Amino acid sequence: MKWLSYLYKGNLNYGILKDENEIIPVQEVLPNPPATLLDFIKEKPTVLNIETAKETIDLKDVVIQIPFTPPNNIMAIGKNYYNHVLEMGSKEDVPEHILVFTKSANSLIPHNGEIELHQNITEQLDYEGELAVIIGEEIRDISESEALSSIFGFTILNDITARDLQKKHKQFYLGKSLDASCPIGPFILEKQTNEEVTFHIETKVNGEVRQSDTTEKFIFNLAKIIADLSKGHTLFPGDIIATGTPSGVGKGMTPPIFLKAGDSIEITIDKIGTLTNKVRKS
């Protein structure tokens, strides 16, 4: 199932995407639903058969929202595709262990939300299409063999990065946490299996394909990422983990091509959907 949060007639709700163009409100499949999608992930109520739902809403009649605000900042993995490491440096930069940084939860914006250019503080705003994992249960010190069972689902995340700020501060947080710089959504694909699943990621800027690769190319797979993050560090339901971006970012081009006002970015991950956002001047 695919879940989403949305505004409809001024009210915030969440539900299940049916047939790619209709929404089943959560009240149709749960008698006393938790208040938010994050609460649903925490409480894990049993969903009724969606075929019994009587009411549906046309997807075009709602405004899609971020799925939820996570309990912590977004955790993100850097340098997790070999070719991306090469375009940003050299093979000597391939990490031996997961490279972890965080992005402020305040930076999140929804599908069709506008990315701020922040032209007064950066001249090098860049895109990074990524698969994001949603943790579904509280875990700590979990093994790789158990790690995939802790996943609730998957979504799409655009790890917008101010490359010049990243270089200036010699760390990732400020360059990756500007306001309105982390599109996420539009849907969460609920996990169907405890096996590692392969996804294809494609990023287009103004219709031009810039990134195209699969999660089979991860340097560190999902089980390794989750297990390592949980070592001495509790993960909670609703925690979001961005798993790294393939090659094809703007900084990796010759010459580099950074985002400008009016640019449209579309990130498509098979089985999940397409996350679309435009860039606007601040």
Side-chain angles (χ1 to χ4, degrees):
M1 288 187 288
K2 294 182 185 180
W3 293 87
L4 74 159
S5 295
Y6 60 90
L7 277 176
Y8 179 64
K9 296 183 177 179
N11 296 314
L12 180 63
N13 199 9
Y14 66 101
I16 297 167
L17 185 67
K18 179 184 179 184
D19 300 328
E20 301 302 319
N21 55 18
E22 289 184 303
I23 300 169
I24 300 174
V26 66
Q27 293 84 358
E28 291 291 309
V29 292
L30 280 176
N32 297 294
T36 68
L37 184 49
L38 178 58
D39 293 326
F40 173 86
I41 293 170
K42 291 177 178 177
E43 297 177 26
K44 300 179 178 63
T46 300
V47 177
L48 303 177
N49 187 341
I50 64 172
E51 300 304 324
T52 64
K54 297 179 181 178
E55 178 190 354
T56 62
I57 301 170
D58 198 308
L59 182 62
K60 65 178 175 54
D61 293 332
V62 309
V63 179
I64 296 175
Q65 304 295 291
I66 64 171
F68 55 83
T69 300
N72 299 297
N73 284 339
I74 300 100
M75 291 167 280
I77 307 301
K79 299 182 179 180
N80 200 26
Y81 287 80
Y82 183 75
N83 285 339
H84 177 56
V85 174
L86 295 185
E87 72 175 350
M88 302 296 280
S90 69
K91 62 182 180 181
E92 283 71 32
D93 299 315
V94 175
E96 295 182 14
H97 308 283
I98 61 170
L99 190 163
V100 185
F101 59 93
T102 61
K103 293 174 69 74
S104 170
N106 291 335
S107 65
L108 291 170
I109 59 172
H111 172 69
N112 287 331
E114 293 186 320
I115 299 165
E116 286 192 37
L117 186 60
H118 293 284
Q119 70 274 6
N120 295 328
I121 56 174
T122 178
E123 297 178 346
Q124 297 183 0
L125 204 67
D126 207 351
Y127 56 87
E128 293 190 359
E130 306 198 14
L131 174 74
V133 172
I134 312 297
I135 295 297
E137 57 188 64
E138 185 174 325
I139 55 172
R140 178 180 156 166
D141 297 320
I142 200 167
S143 68
E144 287 186 42
S145 63
E146 301 169 307
L148 297 180
S149 66
S150 70
I151 296 173
F152 171 76
F154 308 92
T155 192
I156 307 169
L157 184 143
N158 189 348
D159 180 16
I160 295 290
T161 305
R163 301 292 184 193
D164 41 4
L165 294 184
Q166 185 180 14
K167 181 178 180 180
K168 174 183 176 181
H169 293 285
K170 303 187 187 306
Q171 50 77 45
F172 290 6
Y173 183 78
L174 291 176
K176 288 177 174 283
S177 294
L178 298 174
D179 288 350
S181 69
C182 188
I184 189 170
F187 315 117
I188 295 177
L189 174 68
E190 191 172 351
K191 181 194 66 176
Q192 301 297 312
T193 175
N194 287 335
E195 301 297 322
E196 191 96 15
V197 178
T198 298
F199 294 91
H200 180 265
I201 302 173
E202 180 180 85
T203 302
K204 294 179 180 179
V205 178
N206 301 325
E208 175 191 2
V209 176
R210 297 280 185 86
Q211 297 180 289
S212 183
D213 215 331
T214 76
T215 57
E216 285 183 322
K217 303 288 185 61
F218 279 162
I219 295 173
F220 305 105
N221 65 19
L222 296 182
K224 174 69 172 173
I225 290 169
I226 294 169
D228 280 6
L229 285 174
S230 78
K231 290 178 180 177
H233 170 243
T234 304
L235 301 180
F236 294 96
D239 274 346
I240 297 172
I241 305 168
T243 58
T245 198
S247 62
V249 299
K251 182 176 174 59
M253 302 180 75
T254 306
I257 301 177
F258 296 109
L259 295 172
K260 60 185 185 303
D263 282 349
S264 176
I265 307 162
E266 298 173 278
I267 303 169
T268 300
I269 298 184
D270 62 319
K271 309 178 189 73
I272 300 176
T274 298
L275 173 65
T276 302
N277 300 89
K278 287 189 175 182
V279 181
R280 66 169 174 84
K281 288 186 176 180
S282 300

